[in-house]
Amino acid sequence: RGGGGVSVQLRASGEESLAKYRIFLEPSPQYRHYTVSVGLGTPKQKLDLVFDTGSTSMTIFDEKHFCKMRRTTEKSCFESDQSGSFHSNGKTHTSAFCLDNECFAAQTPQNASDTIEIQALHMSLDPANPPLLKQQIPMRLAPNLTRLPMFKTALGHGGYLHDLNDTQGYLGATLPLSSFQAAAADLGDDRKFMAIELRAPEPVDVGYSEVHLGGIEKSYEGRIHYGEIHHRGLPFFNLYDTQVCGAPLHDSHFGYPAIIDTSSMCLTLPGPLFKILAAWIPVRCRTPRAHRELLCYLERNMHPKLPHITFRLSPGGKVLQLPLEDLLMEMAGSTDFSVLSNDRPVNFERRLCVVEGLTEDESSYGPIIFGVRTLRHLYTVFDYRHPGPLIGMANRLPDGTPSDVQCKATVKCKGMQVREPDNTCSDPKCKEYFFLELHDEDKTCRFQSQFHIVASIFIVVFLTVEFSINYVHEVLSNKVRNALLPVEEEVKQSSSRELELLPMSSRALNEEKRD
């Protein structure tokens, strides 16, 4: 696409680093994920593996067992007994992976290894002779998959085992240690910098979906905004000041954890955040038959422009936008993706690809999960070249794009009500105070009817006590005063006698001086 240079600004020195390699990704026929084409085994067998930033290992589906479960036979699975470089240590290691909020466990997968080849196009070399990334790397050969019962179906439409017809396994690409990074060992430190550009299927978006190694594409130079990556199992980062229609989705004083998982399709939001989002956007949410979760739809003949979720990757950082219309889906089971241009109303309901996250413990909630459809307008960077790893994003939308299109009207609260983030009004907590109650008509706190009786009794008691204290004080004062009168008289008389004697003493003293 033009063969332009690729660069990125480093944190410390400000130097530019050119991306050296690009690897092409292909959207699956159902646009559920993106696959990377690899050659596995000797002789190599061509496989399309899900490029999965939500895991570290490579899971390959076994031809003898797993492929028999498929409803179609468009793609064959890996035949390990046909590979001369396949090695198995005879051990098994149970593994699990999730697609949105439905999870699977691989039953008794073999721990093995084999030679993998990935074509990586060098930016400055002849594209007719692309180099090969070739390594012997660990893998897990999964004979069968079962759903984990703790999770509920997210999307339906035939279930995910049918959707896995699009792929023959998963290639873990989580940095810094994953199967993909092991396959790219020949690239040295360049493999520690990975950028992802995902586009919708043609004709909606023109151009390739790609992984860039060693730097970013030239057109994004100076537009990448970074945040810190933390590790708690999978690497996660924090979202700050996350809003929709100006309403906060979480406490703005703290960051909310999020992960990038390209094996998932949708945006996964924890329950409280999901409810706030649904309250502000023009969709209707319901629980369809055979589902247990809340699904949201844009009604037929409504214009598909929706509000944007805005967020930052660091406190005070640049505002990034996630257009919610990118998450409006095509008709169920259809591969006509022209509707994803979102330039016109259509005569059918469109499912919003937003999933309410699930947890086993209702007192805690999981992270926000960015699936592949959330990244259509977000160029995403993972930088592990420095001790403190970073995630970066850049808007592919033009600057100044409005983010509040078709927001629901803000509810008007009455009296002492407070407007909540989910666009509802909460009544004042009058009962937390003595003798107060809520007045339903104007939603204000008023004194209860018995308050006046209690107040009157209190005033009477107070005045009675006050008068009693004054009376007792007056009586005691008089008694003390009467008791002290004789003493005062005696003191006065004594003082008078002393004054009478003073002149006589003075005359006698003068006479002694003359003598």
Side-chain angles (χ1 to χ4, degrees), residues 10-186:
L10 302 182
R11 292 173 299 180
S13 63
E15 298 175 353
E16 294 183 352
S17 175
L18 295 177
K20 296 181 180 178
Y21 297 91
R22 63 165 56 132
I23 297 173
F24 295 109
L25 301 177
E26 186 72 22
S28 66
Q30 298 293 329
Y31 189 27
R32 297 287 173 98
H33 36 243
Y34 287 79
T35 60
V36 57
S37 181
V38 307
L40 187 64
T42 306
K44 65 181 179 183
Q45 302 174 41
K46 183 181 180 299
L47 303 178
D48 292 328
L49 305 182
V50 172
F51 188 80
D52 182 10
T53 60
S55 67
T56 58
S57 61
M58 181 169 68
T59 301
I60 303 298
F61 302 148
D62 182 29
E63 173 68 24
K64 293 182 178 180
H65 301 87
F66 181 82
C67 282
K68 293 181 180 179
M69 301 174 60
R70 295 181 182 271
R71 299 183 182 182
T72 66
T73 57
E74 296 175 359
K75 293 184 178 181
S76 61
C77 292
F78 178 63
E79 297 184 71
S80 57
D81 54 0
Q82 299 298 315
S83 173
S85 53
F86 177 81
H87 298 283
S88 174
N89 60 13
K91 298 180 179 180
T92 61
H93 180 84
T94 302
S95 59
F97 60 93
C98 298
L99 302 167
D100 296 305
N101 66 349
E102 186 174 21
C103 290
F104 298 90
Q107 298 298 303
T108 61
Q110 298 181 49
N111 285 350
S113 65
D114 209 337
T115 300
I116 188 172
E117 294 183 358
I118 304 176
Q119 283 194 342
L121 179 62
H122 198 290
M123 294 297 188
S124 60
L125 296 181
D126 182 0
N129 298 293
L132 285 177
L133 305 178
K134 186 174 181 178
Q135 295 288 335
Q136 181 89 7
I137 66 170
M139 56 179 281
R140 292 172 183 168
L141 191 65
N144 199 355
L145 297 178
T146 59
R147 285 186 175 88
L148 296 178
M150 71 183 71
F151 293 89
K152 56 189 178 183
T153 302
L155 297 174
H157 306 317
Y160 273 118
L161 288 181
H162 173 64
D163 300 329
L164 293 178
N165 286 332
D166 301 339
T167 182
Q168 293 132 310
Y170 283 75
L171 179 62
T174 300
L175 273 73
L177 300 174
S178 67
S179 297
F180 176 73
Q181 302 301 314
D186 289 343

Side-chain angles (χ1 to χ4, degrees), residues 29-30 202 330-331 333-338:
Q30 298 293 329
E202 294 183 351
E330 63 283 356
M331 182 180 291
S334 173
T335 56
D336 178 13
F337 298 114
S338 61

Side-chain angles (χ1 to χ4, degrees), residues 293-426:
E293 72 273 20
L294 199 64
L295 305 181
C296 297
Y297 298 84
L298 182 73
E299 294 185 357
R300 62 182 62 195
N301 298 320
M302 282 192 64
H303 199 281
K305 292 299 181 183
L306 295 179
H308 298 181
I309 294 177
T310 60
F311 61 94
R312 307 173 194 266
L313 293 179
S314 61
K318 177 69 179 289
V319 174
L320 299 164
Q321 296 191 35
L322 168 56
L324 287 173
E325 60 260 29
D326 286 354
L327 303 179
L328 288 172
M329 297 175 63
E330 63 283 356
M331 182 180 291
S334 173
T335 56
D336 178 13
F337 298 114
S338 61
V339 68
L340 300 182
S341 59
N342 296 318
D343 57 356
R344 65 190 186 280
V346 294
N347 193 29
F348 61 88
E349 285 187 326
R350 296 183 63 184
R351 163 79 192 280
L352 186 68
C353 193
V354 178
V355 177
E356 184 177 0
L358 302 175
T359 58
E360 296 181 69
D361 182 3
E362 294 297 331
S363 64
S364 61
Y365 298 95
I368 297 171
I369 301 176
F370 286 74
V372 291
R373 295 204 181 190
T374 66
L375 302 181
R376 180 177 166 188
H377 285 99
L378 287 170
Y379 184 76
T380 305
V381 171
F382 301 90
D383 186 357
Y384 275 77
R385 296 175 299 181
H386 306 277
L390 297 177
I391 185 169
M393 287 185 176
N395 283 318
R396 291 182 58 204
L397 296 170
D399 290 340
T401 302
S403 61
D404 56 356
V405 179
Q406 290 204 99
C407 291
K408 287 183 179 178
T410 304
V411 297
K412 295 183 178 180
C413 299
K414 297 168 58 178
M416 299 172 68
Q417 285 183 325
V418 176
R419 186 167 57 250
E420 300 292 346
D422 62 354
N423 204 22
T424 60
C425 296
S426 61

Side-chain angles (χ1 to χ4, degrees), residues 260-312:
I260 304 291
D261 183 3
T262 54
S263 69
S264 297
M265 178 173 62
C266 299
L267 172 68
T268 300
L269 292 176
L273 281 65
F274 179 89
K275 292 177 175 60
I276 294 174
L277 178 73
W280 283 100
I281 60 179
V283 296
R284 178 175 294 180
C285 300
R286 64 179 185 270
T287 305
R289 185 178 300 177
H291 286 261
R292 291 182 293 168
E293 72 273 20
L294 199 64
L295 305 181
C296 297
Y297 298 84
L298 182 73
E299 294 185 357
R300 62 182 62 195
N301 298 320
M302 282 192 64
H303 199 281
K305 292 299 181 183
L306 295 179
H308 298 181
I309 294 177
T310 60
F311 61 94
R312 307 173 194 266

Side-chain angles (χ1 to χ4, degrees), residues 489-503:
E489 289 295 331
E490 182 177 350
V491 169
K492 288 181 179 179
Q493 292 177 1
S494 175
S495 298
S496 298
R497 286 196 296 271
E498 289 178 356
L499 291 174
E500 290 177 355
L501 294 174
L502 181 59

